[in-house]
Amino acid sequence: MPTTTRKQHIEEFIATHLPTYQELALDIHQHPEVSNYEFYSSDVLIRQLEKEGFSVKKDVAGHRTGFDARFTAGKPGPVIVFLAEFDALAGIGHACGHNLFGTYSVLAASALKDLIADFGGEIRVYGTPGEEGGENGSAKGSFVRDGFFADVDAALCVHPAYHYGKTTASLANDPVDIKFYGRASHAAGAPEKGISALEALLQVSNGINGLRLYLPKDVNIHGIITDGGLAANVIPEYAAGRFYLRAKNRSTLNEVYQKVENVVKAAALATGARYEFGLFQNSVDDVIVTPSFDELFFNHLAQLNIPTEEIETEIRTSLGSSDVGNVSQVVPTIQPTVSISDDYIAGHSEEFKAAAKSEKGLASIAIAAQLLAQTALDLFEQPELLAKIKGDHKTSLAKGN
């Protein structure tokens, strides 16, 4: 089958099935679920993948709402993964557009599946819960750790946004809980009998503030007190805080993690409190950008009738974090963006939530799926191109972001 015929198949498949996937995106939008509780959203995508002929395993990589869907050509060839997110934000719902994100990947994989018989190989869709964090969050880290990418050649996904843009470099993130255990006593009558867990936590906060002066400029530490006691006249026997430790790359962040733990140890020693310190979910790695992979995606974007003012050509660096970074550390990975709004919208806002179910948001499903499927098709059709991208990824990985 000629390349032009394959591309026509992708376009026709997407046009035919688009109304179904738009309904799925709206359905997920109307049922927002947070990390580890995306049962409804996960099942919506799983049922559609099974209808499309994928074999699906549920409850994978230690995540009860995670899934692994596969369609194989029955002979050796490239293994390409589409990443699917479907979690919402607590309180505000789908204000990051993951109701669209998951449908982008499932439709792209489905449009491509009947074309790989000529090349061999396998198409997979990994349903990765909790990108926004939370209970057992940042599932891509678990997928990487459990070997789901050991035989994978490349990974693709698209995120909804204000503008079309290339994969964004982002920061590594260690989300940590800090807990102190002291001894309660009357704060006025017998303060010498108590050990203040809150005082230990306050010393940690002050210690981190002092530490900031001696850290690289790309390091960002922020946190909150989640439990500071119940009564002002009782010395708190328990106190807890939650902090995000971020840095431009994993190696720097590992050093920061150790420095912060030393601050915690010092506070425990100074106050006599006992401490617990560690991750409350998966750590997140920095995103490794492979420019040639993004260029491949953008070559297809250039063939669409997209207004130039909607397209950002510069590679940006985000001060946030995404567990797509964990995947990018082991295989070439792209996460470009497609536009879902004509006016500026900030992520995690009511405006973004509205755009994720808007006419333009729903129309973006066809655009994103077509660009993803055509980019993946290039990797199947051109082994030398896939080899080059894998080589470029190794170069980017050696440099760091």
Side-chain angles (χ1 to χ4, degrees), residues 293-333:
F293 201 176
D294 270 288
E295 288 298 332
L296 188 61
F297 181 93
F298 259 61
N299 287 342
H300 292 292
L301 177 64
Q303 298 173 33
L304 301 181
N305 189 26
I306 304 296
T308 54
E309 62 269 19
E310 293 188 17
I311 302 174
E312 292 185 8
T313 56
E314 294 184 4
I315 297 178
R316 296 173 290 110
T317 298
S318 169
L319 295 179
S321 307
S322 169
D323 61 359
V324 168
N326 296 63
V327 180
S328 75
Q329 296 281 336
V330 293
V331 296
T333 305

Side-chain angles (χ1 to χ4, degrees), residues 345-358:
I345 48 172
H348 298 192
S349 66
E350 288 289 349
E351 292 78 13
F352 204 109
K353 177 182 176 181
K357 64 173 182 177
S358 68

Side-chain angles (χ1 to χ4, degrees), residues 85-272:
E85 296 173 6
F86 38 83
D87 64 316
L89 290 152
I92 195 172
H94 278 288
C96 203
H98 293 174
N99 63 306
L100 298 172
F101 192 124
T103 55
Y104 292 165
S105 288
V106 174
L107 180 53
S110 299
L112 186 62
K113 70 181 191 302
D114 294 328
L115 301 177
I116 65 169
D118 293 343
F119 314 110
E122 191 169 69
I123 297 171
R124 299 179 189 170
V125 180
Y126 287 163
T128 55
E131 189 278 333
E132 299 292 352
E135 182 178 302
N136 201 20
S138 302
K140 295 181 190 66
S142 301
F143 276 70
V144 171
R145 185 173 58 249
D146 288 1
F148 281 77
F149 289 92
D151 60 345
V152 170
D153 291 285
L156 305 84
C157 58
V158 165
H159 203 293
Y162 166 45
H163 277 155
Y164 293 84
K166 296 180 180 180
T167 303
T168 300
S170 62
L171 305 181
N173 178 20
D174 281 346
V176 297
D177 275 340
I178 301 172
K179 301 176 182 179
F180 285 102
Y181 302 87
R183 184 167 61 239
S185 183
H186 196 290
E192 73 281 2
K193 301 294 185 181
I195 296 176
S196 175
L198 177 59
E199 177 60 31
L201 187 58
L202 292 175
Q203 288 195 21
V204 168
S205 181
N206 291 332
I208 288 175
N209 285 336
L211 185 63
R212 295 180 206 276
L213 295 171
Y214 309 103
L215 294 174
K217 299 301 182 185
D218 60 82
V219 174
N220 188 349
I221 304 176
H222 43 98
I224 58 171
I225 294 176
T226 57
D227 192 327
L230 298 175
N233 61 347
V234 178
I235 292 175
E237 63 180 344
Y238 174 75
R242 176 161 285 186
F243 288 77
Y244 279 10
L245 319 178
R246 302 185 199 259
K248 186 178 179 180
N249 58 60
R250 169 51 55 187
S251 60
T252 298
L253 187 54
N254 288 341
E255 295 176 4
V256 171
Y257 184 99
Q258 187 59 59
K259 289 177 184 294
V260 171
E261 184 170 15
N262 286 340
V263 171
V264 174
K265 289 178 181 179
L269 182 62
T271 60

Side-chain angles (χ1 to χ4, degrees), residues 13-14 17-29 40-46 48-49 52 54 67 82-87 94 97-111 125-128 156-160 338 340 356-357 360-373:
F13 184 99
I14 290 172
H17 293 79
L18 180 60
T20 296
Y21 284 83
Q22 290 175 327
E23 290 176 6
L24 298 181
L26 285 174
D27 193 14
I28 294 172
H29 193 282
Y40 187 93
S41 305
S42 178
D43 284 345
V44 165
L45 297 179
I46 288 171
Q48 188 60 32
L49 283 160
E52 300 288 5
F54 285 76
F67 63 82
F82 295 93
L83 303 172
E85 296 173 6
F86 38 83
D87 64 316
H94 278 288
H98 293 174
N99 63 306
L100 298 172
F101 192 124
T103 55
Y104 292 165
S105 288
V106 174
L107 180 53
S110 299
V125 180
Y126 287 163
T128 55
L156 305 84
C157 58
V158 165
H159 203 293
V338 297
I340 63 170
K357 64 173 182 177
K360 185 167 186 177
L362 295 174
S364 74
I365 296 172
I367 297 171
Q370 179 177 326
L371 294 171
L372 281 170

